[in-house]
Amino acid sequence: MRNLTRALAAAATVALAFSPAALSQGAKDFPNKPISLIVPWNAGGSTDIYFRAMADVVAKELGQPVVIDNKTGATGTLGPSTMALTAKPDGYTLAQIPVTVMRLPMMQKHAWDAQRDFSYVIHLTGYTFGVTAKKGGKFKEWKDVVDYAMTMVPFKGGTETNAAILGGHVDLQADSTVWRPLVESGDLILLNVWTESRNKAWPNVPTLKELGYPFVFDSPFGIAGPKGMDPAIVKKLHDAFLVALRDPKVKDIMEKYDFTERYLGPEDYKKLVADYIVSERETLETLEKLGLLKKD
């Protein structure tokens, strides 16, 4: 009986430690050390610059440093997936969640699941994409492209595509606004943008939807931690990042790099992930004949 009593007492202690009340008490002390924010892209890029500005504001809000950890690889999924599979759900490790986290598990086998393995904190923003052509070339508007038709040529990044379009090696460039300086200088013509509405920097350039294509592609992203985070800690982080999202200095960077605000709270963010997976699967199923969709 004595051993049974001790066992029951130990079990009760463990249960109490993981009860909502105990977790909330832990949330009251959060954070009491630096927070690591994984950015799955190279330092110095527009996304890295954006998150460093965000981190400064969040650090002031929470009273602890927010340290950027550039963990690149696997088309932006290495950092978030490593966090999901190895980090404690204590709020001290977070990551940007690019759309590839949702897309790649449908294309090939992966150890994580976008709906199961993350605690979604806040959805933030998206990029501006568009198609450009060299000034003085054969394409003056998107209709010219449709009439001509094209073959896709993959490149490693925006620097290469800029060089290729300027050198006449390819006819068109489809990318995020790495082309902006060349459009502003008049070396390239912007034929369309892929956002929900026109960009105020180029008010005369139509969206895909205006051209008759029912699509918006802005590769939206937000912040998440590992699964199992205390909702009270999620709320603290959400509130701090929301302040950062609305900070004037952050907004200036968003305008400079053509980020579009796409704010959602934790529950709506989770719903967005679920909806995005459905829409991505529908798109990928049309590409199954190319071998891009993972076989169950």
Side-chain angles (χ1 to χ4, degrees), residues 38-39 42 46 54 74 78 87 106 121 124-125 173 190 206 229 265:
I38 296 170
V39 175
N42 289 328
S46 60
M54 293 276 288
L78 178 63
M106 291 184 282
V121 175
L124 298 168
T125 183
Q173 172 192 33
L190 182 59
M229 285 175 57

Side-chain angles (χ1 to χ4, degrees), residues 40 80 83 95-102 118 120 220-225 269:
M83 174 197 71
Q96 180 207 12
I97 306 296
V99 294
T100 45
V101 169
M102 295 160 247
F118 297 92
Y120 289 96
F221 62 83
I223 297 289
Y269 191 1

Side-chain angles (χ1 to χ4, degrees), residues 274-293:
D275 292 344
Y276 195 89
I277 288 172
V278 171
S279 65
E280 282 291 289
R281 180 167 290 279
E282 290 174 351
T283 300
L284 289 171
E285 283 175 349
T286 66
L287 302 175
E288 186 173 8
K289 61 183 179 181
L290 300 179
L292 294 179
L293 191 64

Side-chain angles (χ1 to χ4, degrees), residues 198-263:
R198 294 193 181 198
N199 190 300
K200 65 180 182 180
W202 304 285
N204 297 322
V205 176
T207 65
L208 289 178
K209 292 175 72 174
E210 290 176 304
L211 292 169
Y213 307 98
F215 304 115
V216 174
F217 300 116
D218 61 358
S219 195
F221 62 83
I223 297 289
K227 67 180 178 181
M229 285 175 57
D230 180 355
I233 291 178
V234 170
K235 185 179 187 309
K236 274 193 174 182
L237 290 166
H238 164 273
D239 292 349
F241 274 99
L242 182 57
V243 170
L245 180 63
R246 304 286 163 77
D247 183 84
K249 291 183 179 179
V250 173
K251 281 189 169 294
D252 287 344
I253 288 174
M254 291 176 68
E255 183 172 353
K256 179 179 179 180
Y257 293 103
D258 302 294
F259 291 112
T260 57
E261 184 176 320
R262 292 279 303 271
Y263 164 72

